[in-house]
Amino acid sequence: MSKQRDQWGSSLGFVLAAAGSAVGLGNLWKFPYIAWDNNGGAFVLVYLVCIALIGLPIMMAEILIGRRTQSSPVPAFGALHEQTGTSKRWSVVGWIGVLAGVSILCFYAVIAGWSLSSFAQCLNWSINGYTPPEDGAFGAFIGNTGLQFMLALMFSGVTAFIVMRGISRGIEKATKILMPVLLLILVVLAINALTMKGIGQTLSFLFVPRLNELTTHGVLEALGHAFFTLSLGMGAMITYGSYMKKAESITKASVAIVVLDTAIALIACIIMYTILFSFPESQDQISASTAGMLFTTMPHMFYSKMAGGAILGPIFYILVAFAALSSTISLLEVSVALLVDRFSMTRVKATLAAAGSIFALTICVIFSLNSGFAVSRFKLFGTADSGLGYRLNEIFFKNKQGFMDFFDHLASNWLLPVGGLLITVYVGWFLNKKVSLDELGLQDENGNVHPFFKVFHFVLRYIAPLAILYIIYSVIFGAEDFT
Ligand code: PHE
């Protein structure tokens, strides 16, 4: 760490990279689906409250830890031990983060690969004409192990290439191109949505809260998703914050990231729902699986129903691929930064080691998508139908099988909430308040603390930990599931 540490070239560079991490499949694939499932309105309102009240303060807490220590999550807590006397054991937060990053990346890269194939399919339809899909085409596609391997490999390869080039020359440069292009495509698609007849219904579905439709499950899902979509609870923001210059405002940057992420999730819903509302018969096609809406229903809607779909279709999937790429970059960076900071590896070696090991897990995920392979029935505590193993699978993994669901459940339901909880407790109760105040710059020369800081600290101490404990409680005792 004594060598000069790479830094973001500009404050905009940091905001775009961090927003790039936040904006991903969570916004374009998952949020539209879960908001649809939960009947929009009231669910969206709860989601917005979770983002503003809990997501934003945790985002600020993570970035401030990173910026203060100028190091990645594991050594960050060692540095804070030296600076402020808090226990070194807090570095477990960093390890949880690395584990979460690895767990998410190994399945995320597979789904990201699907965007490449949807893009190719759309392009093919644009050139050769649309042919309606056969029944079960998506299942066959997922089970095509060789193809899945190639798609995930391409995606992981590009991710590794960018991360290998470092912060300012790799990640910042890439996200400075990816994010504006993404925003531009989104605006074009949104303008198109405004001209469609389903727009009125879409807006009232999304923004008129019908409180009687709210369920406990919906509230928990909104809360859980707030973590995933903002990339919180796993040290990604600690890591990105560690490359931030002292002069920049963490508060402003955090607000910008959160606003961008939320706006993009809502715009994605507007784009997809206007199609679904304009052509009501398409709603029957939304399959029961989460993957359904983005990768099976949407491509066909573009071609069979929409004017201009032949151009907008391929463009839409470039958007999905770009959004996913800026997220996989941040997922890989967490492990790479650990190897560089803690084990003094060069960035190139660290990237090859991290990306290579994670890709080995990705291969397991790919095999487990094909029911012909025994690994598709993988369960951590064995496949017995009764006994201790069965009970443990039930408690910890809701008896899900296969590596994709295993890693997704492990990260989204366990690692992110637990990591997030430890971060709130640490910054709320253990870290000297002066450190946070100083990093956030929320105190004037006369020592007056800005009211925003008081709210921030109060939320981190009481509200956020209680909300997260509620998630963890329901994961264990309720039949709840956030994935
Ligand atoms: N926030 C990303 C998304 O919405 C996923 C992600 C989670 C990325 C955690 C990095 C870390 O898709």
Side-chain angles (χ1 to χ4, degrees):
M1 260 181 293
S2 50
K3 274 185 283 152
Q4 217 193 14
R5 193 175 171 80
D6 202 353
Q7 283 191 324
W8 306 109
S10 66
S11 154
L12 183 70
F14 166 72
V15 170
L16 289 181
S21 165
V23 175
L25 295 169
N27 305 60
L28 303 176
W29 168 64
K30 200 161 170 184
F31 185 71
Y33 176 79
I34 58 175
W36 181 265
D37 234 18
N38 285 288
N39 271 322
F43 172 83
V44 173
L45 184 68
V46 172
Y47 171 76
L48 294 178
V49 171
C50 292
I51 291 281
L53 197 68
I54 297 169
L56 178 64
I58 300 182
M59 167 86 62
M60 290 164 59
E62 284 206 23
I63 299 178
L64 85 82
I65 291 175
R67 216 250 316 254
R68 177 72 175 199
T69 56
Q70 299 283 299
S71 52
S72 57
V74 175
F77 289 91
L80 285 167
H81 164 74
E82 270 151 39
Q83 289 177 17
T84 70
T86 53
S87 166
K88 266 189 189 152
R89 296 214 187 108
W90 285 100
S91 45
V92 67
V93 176
W95 289 109
I96 293 178
V98 172
L99 200 62
V102 171
S103 308
I104 297 176
L105 185 52
C106 71
F107 75 85
Y108 202 95
V110 177
I111 303 177
W114 297 349
S115 65
L116 298 180
S117 109
S118 292
F119 168 71
Q121 188 182 41
C122 284
L123 207 59
N124 177 29
W125 283 340
S126 299
I127 298 167
N128 300 321
Y130 172 67
T131 42
E134 285 160 26
D135 278 352
F138 192 65
F141 163 70
I142 290 180
N144 185 339
T145 307
L147 178 62
Q148 294 295 329
F149 178 87
M150 290 312 296
L151 291 171
L153 182 66
M154 272 162 67
F155 216 93
S156 307
V158 175
T159 305
F161 175 76
I162 294 170
V163 169
M164 197 182 280
R165 295 180 53 87
I167 300 306
S168 48
R169 283 173 52 239
I171 301 181
E172 183 168 0
K173 237 182 173 173
T175 44
K176 266 190 168 163
I177 302 169
L178 294 178
M179 289 306 282
V181 175
L182 186 147
L183 283 173
L184 186 75
I185 297 178
L186 215 57
V187 169
V188 171
L189 290 166
I191 291 176
N192 180 64
L194 292 180
T195 67
M196 293 174 65
K197 67 171 188 288
I199 184 72
Q201 237 180 318
T202 300
L203 295 179
S204 76
F205 178 81
L206 271 175
F207 297 113
V208 178
R210 295 158 301 270
L211 291 177
N212 55 331
E213 286 176 7
L214 195 62
T215 59
T216 323
H217 175 86
V219 174
L220 286 163
E221 201 164 18
L223 194 56
H225 186 65
F227 273 89
F228 186 82
T229 191
L230 293 175
S231 309
L232 298 177
M234 58 149 285
M237 293 299 160
I238 299 183
T239 309
Y240 273 18
S242 75
Y243 305 114
M244 197 180 180
K245 289 185 185 134
K246 287 281 175 203
E248 281 148 20
S249 161
I250 294 179
T251 312
K252 279 188 200 147
S254 307
V255 171
I257 298 162
V258 168
V259 168
L260 265 174
D261 185 78
T262 310
I264 292 177
L266 293 174
I267 296 176
C269 288
I270 293 177
I271 293 171
M272 294 189 203
Y273 295 175
T274 39
I275 301 180
L276 298 174
F277 281 120
S278 300
F279 309 103
E281 65 281 12
S282 65
Q283 292 176 25
D284 305 336
Q285 289 190 15
I286 299 177
S287 65
S289 79
T290 317
M293 196 186 268
L294 185 62
F295 296 108
T296 60
T297 315
M298 294 312 291
H300 302 294
M301 289 306 111
F302 277 119
Y303 286 85
S304 55
K305 306 284 182 194
M306 248 171 96
I311 296 170
L312 296 177
I315 293 184
F316 181 71
Y317 288 96
I318 295 183
L319 164 83
V320 178
F322 276 16
L325 180 61
S326 53
S327 296
T328 51
I329 289 173
S330 72
L331 285 162
L332 181 59
E333 174 60 25
V334 174
S335 302
V336 171
L338 172 77
L339 296 178
V340 172
D341 286 349
R342 166 88 196 235
F343 298 101
S344 311
M345 282 193 185
T346 63
R347 181 163 270 275
V348 173
K349 268 198 196 139
T351 309
L352 291 176
S357 338
I358 295 171
F359 194 71
L361 294 175
T362 301
I363 295 177
C364 300
V365 170
I366 291 171
F367 274 112
S368 84
L369 289 175
N370 182 326
S371 55
F373 293 108
V375 281
S376 66
R377 289 174 290 283
F378 169 85
K379 290 182 182 177
L380 186 65
F381 299 108
T383 49
D385 286 338
S386 57
L388 183 64
Y390 178 82
R391 287 289 299 146
L392 291 175
N393 280 327
E394 195 175 70
I395 294 173
F396 290 101
F397 297 103
K398 295 283 161 279
N399 256 318
K400 294 191 164 177
Q401 56 179 19
F403 281 106
M404 172 123 46
D405 283 356
F406 166 70
F407 284 121
D408 185 7
H409 193 90
L410 177 69
S412 308
N413 291 341
W414 288 105
L415 300 174
L416 297 187
V418 172
L421 178 65
L422 293 175
I423 287 167
T424 57
V425 170
Y426 180 78
V427 177
W429 294 91
F430 290 86
L431 183 68
N432 190 334
K433 226 170 160 178
K434 277 201 209 110
V435 174
S436 315
L437 258 178
D438 177 39
E439 284 300 319
L440 297 178
L442 289 172
Q443 190 171 30
D444 65 19
E445 308 80 57
N446 308 326
N448 299 320
V449 175
H450 197 287
F452 186 68
F453 183 82
K454 294 190 180 144
V455 177
F456 163 81
H457 210 250
F458 181 79
V459 170
L460 282 185
R461 280 197 141 191
Y462 303 101
I463 300 188
L466 286 176
I468 302 171
L469 281 172
Y470 179 45
I471 299 189
I472 296 174
Y473 172 86
S474 342
V475 167
I476 301 175
F477 297 105
E480 299 298 346
D481 174 18
F482 302 99
T483 52

